[in-house]
Amino acid sequence: MTVGAGPRLARGEHGLQRAGDSPVRRVSLWQRLRRRALAVYAFLALAYLFTPIAYLTVFSFNDSGKSNIVWKGFTLDNWKNPCGAPDVCTALGNSLKIGVISTTVATVLGTMIAFALARHRFRGRTATNLLIFVPMATPEVVLGASLLTLFLNFRVPLGMGTIIVAHVMFCISFVVVAVKARIASLDPALEQAAMDLYATEVQTFRRVTLPLVAPGIAAAALLSLSLSFDDFIITFFNSGNVNTFPKFVYVSALRGIPAQAYVIGVAMFYLALLIVLVAEVLRHRRERALH
Amino acid sequence: MAFTTAARTGGPVPAPAPPSSRLPRSRTPYLLLLPGLVWLGLFFAVPVATLFSTSLQTRVPGGEIGEYTQTFRFANYLDTIGEYHVQFVRSFLYAGLATVLALLIAYPLAYYIAQRAGRWRNILLVLVVAPFYASFILRTIAWRQILGEEGPIVPVLRFLHLIPAGATVTASAVAVVAGLTYNFLPFMTLPLYASLERIDPRFIEAGGDLYANPFTTFRRVTLPLSMPGVVAGTLLTFIPAAGDYINATLLGRQPKTTMIGNVVESRFLRVVDYPTAATLSFLLMAAILVLVFGYVRRAGTEELV
């Protein structure tokens, strides 16, 4: 058998095998050791990924005053009053507002492009793909700097508006990629069935296609929200004197970050993790119910 | 624009029809594309053009700070390369090192999740992406504190005489590369996972059955099959790492670890030397695009997006 021939062909079978652990697999001591070694390695790698999060979590309880560097004792005050430090919640509010608006716009525009690319023939496909790919392959500092030259040349005042314009711009490409992948994975038989049952094109789209693509759109929106919320470099170039959460953290890093910023950062993290884990569990249950 | 006129006249339909298209050639795709592409055109393509135009400007004689005029001075590029080639080389070196390190760290992890984790697969995948949800800058600051003077690592290293008494871990090139590696690790892990997950485990077993040792099996079977993931992962790590200046600012020491992003930021926002900043940005973008397209062509993965 040639190796490159078709890893996809055999997928259906090995999916079943994997669940019950393949019976053909000879389990030698060496193989078992190697298996364990890889598991230990994966655990260590995850621990490494989570080290700064653990640090931030611990130090969000630090009774530190203005500058959160040395451990000074346990307190719940930061968590009870996350807006206690000046400006931190204004910045957070701005970030959330920017995130929601730019995610909404980018998700709508990106989804439309994804449908055009996945479902239609048209001229200029290469140019379209290029216009979507190149922004993703451009470093943030270049995106930020080039937008700033535009705004300076046309004397556009920097602020909320320019930040949102920038965020929509860099989120669109990611939405297109995520939604396009979802559309490509759909079984065309489902839509054909709807058409066979005399559904019109619009009905098929609304009742069959859109609900099937919806998880992909939701994932794209979440990705876009987290990209927007976490963006620093492009925002820093185009924000004028509007403060965002990452900007607040960066600017105050020079004179000491208040523990409240840790609280907000850590809380956002655990909230996101919770949402994703719950979604994962629900998906698992639904799949089980189907089988 | 070529495609709008084609839509109106209903030009000839290309022979090989994509299997999924159910609509005949119509206006619909252009209407769907229009708003998004206009946005990308106005706020990505046009700014790149103004960036290029700015890069050719020179100072107004006797003008105020930040006042520049278009003189089409292409020599700006030579001046900038002459002055900042060190930072350029350094950025690509740091980003390259971070990419290689991230690949070495992420490959076994992605392999484990894809091929060995069984029913824990999705949960582990969630955990790999999870650190993304904590602010990028906060995570970098956390590393600065952990590796810094008051953190737990430095005293241990000093006690073990691994570093000299006065030395630090932060404020060094090592710390910057470590920070870059850490911050872009999920960008490496996810595409690697995606391509490793597609490999039928029986291919790997077949290698062993045909008396290849595990290393040969890896080199001849697993690695070639995971190449699309390696290409995508290295690009997704290298590109943001080369343009990053947060790690260099928070974990490095200026000017010893100054990267190109630091120069663009300070030229643009502090010194208001727009032409130099624009020249540098344009060079960085051009260098990365040349690298990307050259690399993609060599690695032979045609479809990235």
PDB file of all heavy atoms in Angstrom, chain A residues 50-62 71 74 79 262-263 266-267 269-270, chain B residues 142:
ATOM      1  N   PHE A  50       0.094  26.602  31.221  1.00  0.00           N
ATOM      2  CA  PHE A  50      -0.760  27.195  32.249  1.00  0.00           C
ATOM      3  C   PHE A  50       0.016  27.920  33.347  1.00  0.00           C
ATOM      4  O   PHE A  50      -0.593  28.537  34.219  1.00  0.00           O
ATOM      5  CB  PHE A  50      -1.673  26.131  32.867  1.00  0.00           C
ATOM      6  CG  PHE A  50      -2.901  25.899  32.048  1.00  0.00           C
ATOM      7  CD1 PHE A  50      -2.889  25.030  30.970  1.00  0.00           C
ATOM      8  CD2 PHE A  50      -4.066  26.595  32.321  1.00  0.00           C
ATOM      9  CE1 PHE A  50      -4.003  24.853  30.195  1.00  0.00           C
ATOM     10  CE2 PHE A  50      -5.194  26.427  31.545  1.00  0.00           C
ATOM     11  CZ  PHE A  50      -5.159  25.543  30.475  1.00  0.00           C
ATOM     12  N   THR A  51       1.358  27.850  33.308  1.00  0.00           N
ATOM     13  CA  THR A  51       2.145  28.489  34.368  1.00  0.00           C
ATOM     14  C   THR A  51       1.790  29.966  34.590  1.00  0.00           C
ATOM     15  O   THR A  51       1.486  30.363  35.710  1.00  0.00           O
ATOM     16  CB  THR A  51       3.653  28.331  34.095  1.00  0.00           C
ATOM     17  OG1 THR A  51       3.929  26.949  33.930  1.00  0.00           O
ATOM     18  CG2 THR A  51       4.496  28.904  35.208  1.00  0.00           C
ATOM     19  N   PRO A  52       1.805  30.795  33.520  1.00  0.00           N
ATOM     20  CA  PRO A  52       1.475  32.200  33.778  1.00  0.00           C
ATOM     21  C   PRO A  52       0.052  32.402  34.273  1.00  0.00           C
ATOM     22  O   PRO A  52      -0.198  33.323  35.058  1.00  0.00           O
ATOM     23  CB  PRO A  52       1.685  32.884  32.427  1.00  0.00           C
ATOM     24  CG  PRO A  52       1.885  31.829  31.449  1.00  0.00           C
ATOM     25  CD  PRO A  52       2.189  30.561  32.126  1.00  0.00           C
ATOM     26  N   ILE A  53      -0.862  31.533  33.840  1.00  0.00           N
ATOM     27  CA  ILE A  53      -2.254  31.663  34.299  1.00  0.00           C
ATOM     28  C   ILE A  53      -2.309  31.390  35.805  1.00  0.00           C
ATOM     29  O   ILE A  53      -2.995  32.095  36.553  1.00  0.00           O
ATOM     30  CB  ILE A  53      -3.169  30.655  33.568  1.00  0.00           C
ATOM     31  CG1 ILE A  53      -2.878  30.643  32.084  1.00  0.00           C
ATOM     32  CG2 ILE A  53      -4.627  30.910  33.902  1.00  0.00           C
ATOM     33  CD1 ILE A  53      -3.673  31.504  31.239  1.00  0.00           C
ATOM     34  N   ALA A  54      -1.572  30.352  36.228  1.00  0.00           N
ATOM     35  CA  ALA A  54      -1.544  30.039  37.660  1.00  0.00           C
ATOM     36  C   ALA A  54      -0.968  31.216  38.440  1.00  0.00           C
ATOM     37  O   ALA A  54      -1.507  31.617  39.480  1.00  0.00           O
ATOM     38  CB  ALA A  54      -0.702  28.781  37.890  1.00  0.00           C
ATOM     39  N   TYR A  55       0.103  31.796  37.892  1.00  0.00           N
ATOM     40  CA  TYR A  55       0.712  32.946  38.555  1.00  0.00           C
ATOM     41  C   TYR A  55      -0.299  34.088  38.681  1.00  0.00           C
ATOM     42  O   TYR A  55      -0.477  34.670  39.746  1.00  0.00           O
ATOM     43  CB  TYR A  55       1.941  33.415  37.758  1.00  0.00           C
ATOM     44  CG  TYR A  55       2.526  34.688  38.293  1.00  0.00           C
ATOM     45  CD1 TYR A  55       3.491  34.658  39.292  1.00  0.00           C
ATOM     46  CD2 TYR A  55       2.093  35.928  37.820  1.00  0.00           C
ATOM     47  CE1 TYR A  55       4.003  35.835  39.804  1.00  0.00           C
ATOM     48  CE2 TYR A  55       2.602  37.108  38.320  1.00  0.00           C
ATOM     49  CZ  TYR A  55       3.556  37.059  39.310  1.00  0.00           C
ATOM     50  OH  TYR A  55       4.052  38.223  39.830  1.00  0.00           O
ATOM     51  N   LEU A  56      -0.976  34.395  37.582  1.00  0.00           N
ATOM     52  CA  LEU A  56      -1.946  35.497  37.595  1.00  0.00           C
ATOM     53  C   LEU A  56      -3.066  35.216  38.578  1.00  0.00           C
ATOM     54  O   LEU A  56      -3.534  36.107  39.285  1.00  0.00           O
ATOM     55  CB  LEU A  56      -2.523  35.715  36.195  1.00  0.00           C
ATOM     56  CG  LEU A  56      -1.574  36.226  35.113  1.00  0.00           C
ATOM     57  CD1 LEU A  56      -2.243  36.190  33.754  1.00  0.00           C
ATOM     58  CD2 LEU A  56      -1.112  37.637  35.439  1.00  0.00           C
ATOM     59  N   THR A  57      -3.514  33.949  38.622  1.00  0.00           N
ATOM     60  CA  THR A  57      -4.599  33.589  39.536  1.00  0.00           C
ATOM     61  C   THR A  57      -4.182  33.838  40.976  1.00  0.00           C
ATOM     62  O   THR A  57      -4.893  34.489  41.747  1.00  0.00           O
ATOM     63  CB  THR A  57      -4.979  32.103  39.356  1.00  0.00           C
ATOM     64  OG1 THR A  57      -5.196  31.853  37.971  1.00  0.00           O
ATOM     65  CG2 THR A  57      -6.227  31.764  40.142  1.00  0.00           C
ATOM     66  N   VAL A  58      -3.000  33.324  41.341  1.00  0.00           N
ATOM     67  CA  VAL A  58      -2.521  33.504  42.718  1.00  0.00           C
ATOM     68  C   VAL A  58      -2.392  34.984  43.043  1.00  0.00           C
ATOM     69  O   VAL A  58      -2.895  35.466  44.060  1.00  0.00           O
ATOM     70  CB  VAL A  58      -1.170  32.775  42.907  1.00  0.00           C
ATOM     71  CG1 VAL A  58      -0.566  33.133  44.256  1.00  0.00           C
ATOM     72  CG2 VAL A  58      -1.355  31.278  42.782  1.00  0.00           C
ATOM     73  N   PHE A  59      -1.753  35.716  42.144  1.00  0.00           N
ATOM     74  CA  PHE A  59      -1.490  37.124  42.453  1.00  0.00           C
ATOM     75  C   PHE A  59      -2.723  38.015  42.314  1.00  0.00           C
ATOM     76  O   PHE A  59      -2.670  39.178  42.690  1.00  0.00           O
ATOM     77  CB  PHE A  59      -0.320  37.648  41.605  1.00  0.00           C
ATOM     78  CG  PHE A  59       1.010  37.365  42.233  1.00  0.00           C
ATOM     79  CD1 PHE A  59       1.525  36.082  42.243  1.00  0.00           C
ATOM     80  CD2 PHE A  59       1.735  38.375  42.862  1.00  0.00           C
ATOM     81  CE1 PHE A  59       2.737  35.802  42.852  1.00  0.00           C
ATOM     82  CE2 PHE A  59       2.952  38.102  43.471  1.00  0.00           C
ATOM     83  CZ  PHE A  59       3.456  36.810  43.464  1.00  0.00           C
ATOM     84  N   SER A  60      -3.838  37.463  41.801  1.00  0.00           N
ATOM     85  CA  SER A  60      -5.066  38.257  41.816  1.00  0.00           C
ATOM     86  C   SER A  60      -5.616  38.355  43.247  1.00  0.00           C
ATOM     87  O   SER A  60      -6.446  39.195  43.541  1.00  0.00           O
ATOM     88  CB  SER A  60      -6.114  37.645  40.878  1.00  0.00           C
ATOM     89  OG  SER A  60      -6.612  36.438  41.403  1.00  0.00           O
ATOM     90  N   PHE A  61      -5.124  37.480  44.129  1.00  0.00           N
ATOM     91  CA  PHE A  61      -5.541  37.516  45.545  1.00  0.00           C
ATOM     92  C   PHE A  61      -4.513  38.246  46.412  1.00  0.00           C
ATOM     93  O   PHE A  61      -4.582  38.184  47.625  1.00  0.00           O
ATOM     94  CB  PHE A  61      -5.740  36.099  46.078  1.00  0.00           C
ATOM     95  CG  PHE A  61      -6.897  35.372  45.451  1.00  0.00           C
ATOM     96  CD1 PHE A  61      -6.683  34.418  44.480  1.00  0.00           C
ATOM     97  CD2 PHE A  61      -8.200  35.661  45.834  1.00  0.00           C
ATOM     98  CE1 PHE A  61      -7.745  33.747  43.891  1.00  0.00           C
ATOM     99  CE2 PHE A  61      -9.275  34.994  45.251  1.00  0.00           C
ATOM    100  CZ  PHE A  61      -9.045  34.041  44.283  1.00  0.00           C
ATOM    101  N   ASN A  62      -3.554  38.902  45.759  1.00  0.00           N
ATOM    102  CA  ASN A  62      -2.479  39.541  46.517  1.00  0.00           C
ATOM    103  C   ASN A  62      -2.960  40.863  47.113  1.00  0.00           C
ATOM    104  O   ASN A  62      -3.549  41.689  46.425  1.00  0.00           O
ATOM    105  CB  ASN A  62      -1.287  39.774  45.582  1.00  0.00           C
ATOM    106  CG  ASN A  62      -0.046  40.223  46.333  1.00  0.00           C
ATOM    107  OD1 ASN A  62      -0.029  40.198  47.568  1.00  0.00           O
ATOM    108  ND2 ASN A  62       0.970  40.618  45.593  1.00  0.00           N
ATOM    109  N   TRP A  71       4.580  39.269  46.850  1.00  0.00           N
ATOM    110  CA  TRP A  71       3.444  38.715  47.596  1.00  0.00           C
ATOM    111  C   TRP A  71       3.371  39.355  48.980  1.00  0.00           C
ATOM    112  O   TRP A  71       4.317  39.306  49.743  1.00  0.00           O
ATOM    113  CB  TRP A  71       3.588  37.197  47.732  1.00  0.00           C
ATOM    114  CG  TRP A  71       2.432  36.597  48.447  1.00  0.00           C
ATOM    115  CD1 TRP A  71       2.424  36.158  49.746  1.00  0.00           C
ATOM    116  CD2 TRP A  71       1.114  36.386  47.943  1.00  0.00           C
ATOM    117  NE1 TRP A  71       1.176  35.694  50.072  1.00  0.00           N
ATOM    118  CE2 TRP A  71       0.350  35.812  48.979  1.00  0.00           C
ATOM    119  CE3 TRP A  71       0.508  36.639  46.702  1.00  0.00           C
ATOM    120  CZ2 TRP A  71      -0.996  35.471  48.824  1.00  0.00           C
ATOM    121  CZ3 TRP A  71      -0.835  36.312  46.558  1.00  0.00           C
ATOM    122  CH2 TRP A  71      -1.559  35.738  47.608  1.00  0.00           C
ATOM    123  N   PHE A  74      -2.841  37.358  51.558  1.00  0.00           N
ATOM    124  CA  PHE A  74      -4.063  36.976  50.867  1.00  0.00           C
ATOM    125  C   PHE A  74      -5.185  37.961  51.144  1.00  0.00           C
ATOM    126  O   PHE A  74      -5.384  38.383  52.283  1.00  0.00           O
ATOM    127  CB  PHE A  74      -4.474  35.569  51.319  1.00  0.00           C
ATOM    128  CG  PHE A  74      -5.706  35.062  50.640  1.00  0.00           C
ATOM    129  CD1 PHE A  74      -5.619  34.426  49.406  1.00  0.00           C
ATOM    130  CD2 PHE A  74      -6.959  35.226  51.222  1.00  0.00           C
ATOM    131  CE1 PHE A  74      -6.750  33.957  48.774  1.00  0.00           C
ATOM    132  CE2 PHE A  74      -8.101  34.762  50.590  1.00  0.00           C
ATOM    133  CZ  PHE A  74      -7.995  34.118  49.373  1.00  0.00           C
ATOM    134  N   TRP A  79     -11.106  40.882  44.306  1.00  0.00           N
ATOM    135  CA  TRP A  79     -12.201  40.184  43.627  1.00  0.00           C
ATOM    136  C   TRP A  79     -13.547  40.807  43.952  1.00  0.00           C
ATOM    137  O   TRP A  79     -14.455  40.801  43.128  1.00  0.00           O
ATOM    138  CB  TRP A  79     -12.201  38.691  43.987  1.00  0.00           C
ATOM    139  CG  TRP A  79     -11.189  37.937  43.179  1.00  0.00           C
ATOM    140  CD1 TRP A  79      -9.871  37.785  43.469  1.00  0.00           C
ATOM    141  CD2 TRP A  79     -11.416  37.264  41.932  1.00  0.00           C
ATOM    142  NE1 TRP A  79      -9.256  37.048  42.478  1.00  0.00           N
ATOM    143  CE2 TRP A  79     -10.174  36.711  41.537  1.00  0.00           C
ATOM    144  CE3 TRP A  79     -12.535  37.068  41.123  1.00  0.00           C
ATOM    145  CZ2 TRP A  79     -10.034  35.966  40.360  1.00  0.00           C
ATOM    146  CZ3 TRP A  79     -12.390  36.335  39.951  1.00  0.00           C
ATOM    147  CH2 TRP A  79     -11.151  35.794  39.588  1.00  0.00           C
ATOM    148  N   TYR A 262      -5.407  41.957  37.173  1.00  0.00           N
ATOM    149  CA  TYR A 262      -5.228  40.508  37.208  1.00  0.00           C
ATOM    150  C   TYR A 262      -6.580  39.825  37.374  1.00  0.00           C
ATOM    151  O   TYR A 262      -6.870  38.820  36.726  1.00  0.00           O
ATOM    152  CB  TYR A 262      -4.321  40.087  38.370  1.00  0.00           C
ATOM    153  CG  TYR A 262      -2.849  40.360  38.191  1.00  0.00           C
ATOM    154  CD1 TYR A 262      -2.398  41.480  37.506  1.00  0.00           C
ATOM    155  CD2 TYR A 262      -1.905  39.487  38.722  1.00  0.00           C
ATOM    156  CE1 TYR A 262      -1.048  41.723  37.351  1.00  0.00           C
ATOM    157  CE2 TYR A 262      -0.542  39.716  38.580  1.00  0.00           C
ATOM    158  CZ  TYR A 262      -0.123  40.838  37.890  1.00  0.00           C
ATOM    159  OH  TYR A 262       1.207  41.067  37.751  1.00  0.00           O
ATOM    160  N   VAL A 263      -7.399  40.382  38.297  1.00  0.00           N
ATOM    161  CA  VAL A 263      -8.714  39.800  38.555  1.00  0.00           C
ATOM    162  C   VAL A 263      -9.522  39.744  37.266  1.00  0.00           C
ATOM    163  O   VAL A 263     -10.090  38.697  36.915  1.00  0.00           O
ATOM    164  CB  VAL A 263      -9.477  40.615  39.625  1.00  0.00           C
ATOM    165  CG1 VAL A 263     -10.913  40.134  39.742  1.00  0.00           C
ATOM    166  CG2 VAL A 263      -8.766  40.534  40.965  1.00  0.00           C
ATOM    167  N   VAL A 266      -7.984  37.237  34.696  1.00  0.00           N
ATOM    168  CA  VAL A 266      -8.174  35.859  35.124  1.00  0.00           C
ATOM    169  C   VAL A 266      -9.656  35.468  35.039  1.00  0.00           C
ATOM    170  O   VAL A 266      -9.993  34.365  34.597  1.00  0.00           O
ATOM    171  CB  VAL A 266      -7.617  35.708  36.559  1.00  0.00           C
ATOM    172  CG1 VAL A 266      -8.183  34.496  37.228  1.00  0.00           C
ATOM    173  CG2 VAL A 266      -6.106  35.644  36.523  1.00  0.00           C
ATOM    174  N   ALA A 267     -10.544  36.381  35.421  1.00  0.00           N
ATOM    175  CA  ALA A 267     -11.976  36.087  35.385  1.00  0.00           C
ATOM    176  C   ALA A 267     -12.437  35.840  33.954  1.00  0.00           C
ATOM    177  O   ALA A 267     -13.192  34.898  33.693  1.00  0.00           O
ATOM    178  CB  ALA A 267     -12.768  37.240  36.004  1.00  0.00           C
ATOM    179  N   PHE A 269     -10.632  34.691  31.591  1.00  0.00           N
ATOM    180  CA  PHE A 269     -10.080  33.402  31.206  1.00  0.00           C
ATOM    181  C   PHE A 269     -10.956  32.254  31.701  1.00  0.00           C
ATOM    182  O   PHE A 269     -11.332  31.370  30.931  1.00  0.00           O
ATOM    183  CB  PHE A 269      -8.660  33.253  31.756  1.00  0.00           C
ATOM    184  CG  PHE A 269      -8.155  31.845  31.710  1.00  0.00           C
ATOM    185  CD1 PHE A 269      -7.732  31.291  30.520  1.00  0.00           C
ATOM    186  CD2 PHE A 269      -8.123  31.067  32.862  1.00  0.00           C
ATOM    187  CE1 PHE A 269      -7.274  29.989  30.474  1.00  0.00           C
ATOM    188  CE2 PHE A 269      -7.673  29.769  32.823  1.00  0.00           C
ATOM    189  CZ  PHE A 269      -7.253  29.222  31.631  1.00  0.00           C
ATOM    190  N   TYR A 270     -11.294  32.272  33.011  1.00  0.00           N
ATOM    191  CA  TYR A 270     -12.081  31.158  33.550  1.00  0.00           C
ATOM    192  C   TYR A 270     -13.482  31.127  32.956  1.00  0.00           C
ATOM    193  O   TYR A 270     -14.046  30.060  32.728  1.00  0.00           O
ATOM    194  CB  TYR A 270     -12.123  31.215  35.078  1.00  0.00           C
ATOM    195  CG  TYR A 270     -10.794  30.816  35.674  1.00  0.00           C
ATOM    196  CD1 TYR A 270      -9.965  31.752  36.278  1.00  0.00           C
ATOM    197  CD2 TYR A 270     -10.350  29.495  35.599  1.00  0.00           C
ATOM    198  CE1 TYR A 270      -8.724  31.391  36.796  1.00  0.00           C
ATOM    199  CE2 TYR A 270      -9.116  29.125  36.099  1.00  0.00           C
ATOM    200  CZ  TYR A 270      -8.308  30.072  36.709  1.00  0.00           C
ATOM    201  OH  TYR A 270      -7.088  29.720  37.198  1.00  0.00           O
TER     202      TYR A 270
ATOM    203  N   ALA B 142       3.193  38.172  33.382  1.00  0.00           N
ATOM    204  CA  ALA B 142       3.329  37.090  34.363  1.00  0.00           C
ATOM    205  C   ALA B 142       4.701  36.417  34.208  1.00  0.00           C
ATOM    206  O   ALA B 142       5.391  36.176  35.200  1.00  0.00           O
ATOM    207  CB  ALA B 142       2.214  36.065  34.177  1.00  0.00           C
TER     208      ALA B 142
END
